[in-house]
Amino acid sequence: MENCLFCKIIDKQIPSKLIYEDADIFVFHDINPAAEVHFLLIPKEHIESMLELTDKHQELMGKMMVKANKLAIEHGLTKGYKTQVNTGKNGGQEVFHLHIHVFGNRG
Ligand code: 5GP
Ligand code: ZN
């Protein structure tokens, strides 16, 4: 997707603080953190939002949630954290490339 901010981050045309990357997933720190730790998990496939999901995305979405937990623990969020997926205009989504927010404070 040419004009998608997060596709450009995946392609490294726009820099980000990378946490994790594999063939399907890209994870990086949110530029405007809402807590001590705040990162975003995105699929490498350009999916606009949860509204676009179909059965073929089941494995990908499951993989992203399991990875979200692993990375949250690795970042010290061992007592818990929040996840959020803003979906569509009415869901408060601002960047139209599906992303899972993980945020929380250590301690
Ligand atoms: P949304 O409201 O779409 O769920 O959240 C978009 C998130 O992307 C926001 O938390 C915002 O801070 C983050 N964000 C927007 N632009 C950039 C950017 O260029 N780099 C990074 N790392 N995060 C961004
Ligand atoms: Zn995109």
Side-chain angles (χ1 to χ4, degrees), residues 12 17 22 30 33-34 43 50 58-62 68 70 78-79 82 92 96-97 100 102 107:
K12 299 181 177 147
K17 286 167 70 181
D22 66 24
D30 195 292
M50 291 269 290
Q58 282 188 31
E59 193 177 333
L60 172 67
M61 294 305 290
K70 184 169 189 287
T78 52
K79 292 183 182 163
K82 295 188 188 220
F96 283 83
H97 181 127
I100 301 172
V102 175

Side-chain angles (χ1 to χ4, degrees), residues 5-6 9 28-32 86 92-95 99 101:
L5 175 67
F6 285 176
I9 285 178
F28 56 105
H29 290 278
D30 195 292
I31 204 166
N32 185 23
N86 297 329
Q93 188 174 359
E94 291 179 356
V95 178
H99 49 280
H101 294 258

Side-chain angles (χ1 to χ4, degrees), residues 5-103:
L5 175 67
F6 285 176
C7 282
K8 287 180 181 164
I9 285 178
I10 291 165
D11 287 343
K12 299 181 177 147
Q13 294 172 37
I14 292 175
S16 69
K17 286 167 70 181
L18 178 68
I19 293 175
Y20 174 83
E21 179 178 14
D22 66 24
D24 304 312
I25 299 174
F26 194 94
V27 186
F28 56 105
H29 290 278
D30 195 292
I31 204 166
N32 185 23
E36 196 179 346
V37 176
H38 185 172
F39 59 85
L40 303 172
L41 296 97
I42 63 179
K44 285 198 167 170
E45 177 186 349
H46 179 84
I47 304 167
E48 280 202 11
S49 79
M50 291 269 290
L51 289 166
E52 311 294 317
L53 290 181
T54 66
D55 287 351
K56 76 170 185 184
H57 296 117
Q58 282 188 31
E59 193 177 333
L60 172 67
M61 294 305 290
K63 185 175 169 179
M64 287 176 70
M65 291 306 281
V66 172
K67 187 60 72 178
N69 182 57
K70 184 169 189 287
L71 294 173
I73 291 168
E74 285 177 11
H75 283 75
L77 302 179
T78 52
K79 292 183 182 163
Y81 53 86
K82 295 188 188 220
T83 53
Q84 188 168 324
V85 185
N86 297 329
T87 300
K89 185 166 64 71
N90 289 4
Q93 188 174 359
E94 291 179 356
V95 178
F96 283 83
H97 181 127
L98 193 157
H99 49 280
I100 301 172
H101 294 258
V102 175
F103 54 101

